[in-house]
Amino acid sequence: MGLFDFVGDVVKSVKNAFSSEKKQTRNVNNNEKVSVFETKETDNQNTDTYQFNSSSGGGSTDGKDDGKIGFWEGAKSFFKGVGNKVKEQVSGLVNTIKEHPIKTLLTVGAVTAACVLGGPVVVTAVSVIGIGAAGIGLGKSAVGIAKGVQAAENAKTDQEKREALENIGGSTLEAAENIAMGVASGVSAAKALQAVKATSGAAAAASSIDDAARAGANSIDDA
């Protein structure tokens, strides 16, 4: 082997060694890039899943579907239940009027006429009935609230917690309405009773005056 051949072999060996190292480095870099890409793709998938769960009203917004939600999310569910109950009540009233317009008009007219023509006595009777109905409604609302609280405490998923809080909101609205109706009926009954007493007192006074006038007339006749 000549000197030039030896130098050529050394140069070739160095060149091959450098090429091999560069190829290995490139492979490592490619693996790293693939790994990073896969990680980003996984993160994007997780983000998409989270956004889907949040927008659909189910799942979890904190990454843990364990029946535990934040204060503001709970308040949102509570007032959503209040709004749904209002819509339900308004829809029920509208449907009743549409389906039975004459019956509804006659019922309202009969009650109004009875209160006007019957005077304080009828108003008192209607108010007492209102107080009783409010008491029954309040009892049912209290049961609904209690069941909602129990369901919220036993919720296993975030959606179960939201539904329980919505039920609590609706039952709370019903309770407030029944309390208001009871108070209004009580005030009406009190005013009606005062009117009855005043009417009775005036009648008694008029009767006494009439009796006194008759007694005076009889005395004059005797004289």
Side-chain angles (χ1 to χ4, degrees):
M1 177 182 293
L3 178 60
F4 291 103
D5 293 333
F6 176 77
V7 172
D9 291 338
V10 170
V11 172
K12 184 183 289 187
S13 299
V14 172
K15 184 178 180 180
N16 291 335
F18 178 79
S19 299
S20 177
E21 182 179 357
K22 186 176 182 181
K23 186 181 293 184
Q24 291 177 358
T25 303
R26 183 180 299 169
N27 291 335
V28 171
N29 290 336
N30 287 337
N31 290 334
E32 290 178 352
K33 290 180 180 179
V34 171
S35 176
V36 171
F37 176 76
E38 290 176 351
T39 302
K40 289 183 178 179
E41 185 178 6
T42 302
D43 293 340
N44 290 335
Q45 291 176 352
N46 292 336
T47 302
D48 293 341
T49 303
Y50 166 77
Q51 291 176 348
F52 172 78
N53 289 336
S54 298
S55 61
S56 63
S60 172
T61 56
D62 58 359
K64 298 179 180 179
D65 193 13
D66 53 1
K68 298 178 181 179
I69 60 178
F71 173 79
W72 292 113
E73 188 177 0
K76 180 180 178 181
S77 298
F78 177 88
F79 286 106
K80 180 180 179 181
V82 173
N84 290 339
K85 180 59 67 174
V86 171
K87 293 179 182 178
E88 177 185 337
Q89 293 175 342
V90 172
S91 177
L93 178 60
V94 171
N95 290 335
T96 300
I97 295 175
K98 286 182 177 180
E99 294 176 0
H100 309 285
I102 298 177
K103 182 179 179 180
T104 303
L105 181 62
L106 290 176
T107 301
V108 174
V111 173
T112 304
C115 291
V116 173
L117 300 176
V121 176
V122 176
V123 173
T124 302
V126 172
S127 299
V128 171
I129 293 174
I131 294 173
I136 295 174
L138 182 60
K140 292 181 178 179
S141 301
V143 172
I145 293 173
K147 289 182 177 179
V149 171
Q150 184 177 7
E153 292 178 351
N154 297 330
K156 301 299 181 182
T157 64
D158 290 4
Q159 184 60 21
E160 290 179 356
K161 175 76 79 172
R162 296 188 192 98
E163 291 175 354
L165 291 173
E166 289 177 15
N167 292 332
I168 293 174
S171 297
T172 301
L173 175 64
E174 289 181 331
E177 290 172 341
N178 284 299
I179 291 173
M181 184 174 72
V183 171
S185 297
V187 172
S188 178
K191 291 181 178 179
L193 286 174
Q194 289 179 352
V196 170
K197 290 180 180 180
T199 303
S200 300
S207 178
S208 298
I209 293 173
D210 185 58
D211 291 340
R214 289 180 179 177
N218 290 334
S219 297
I220 294 175
D221 291 339
D222 292 338

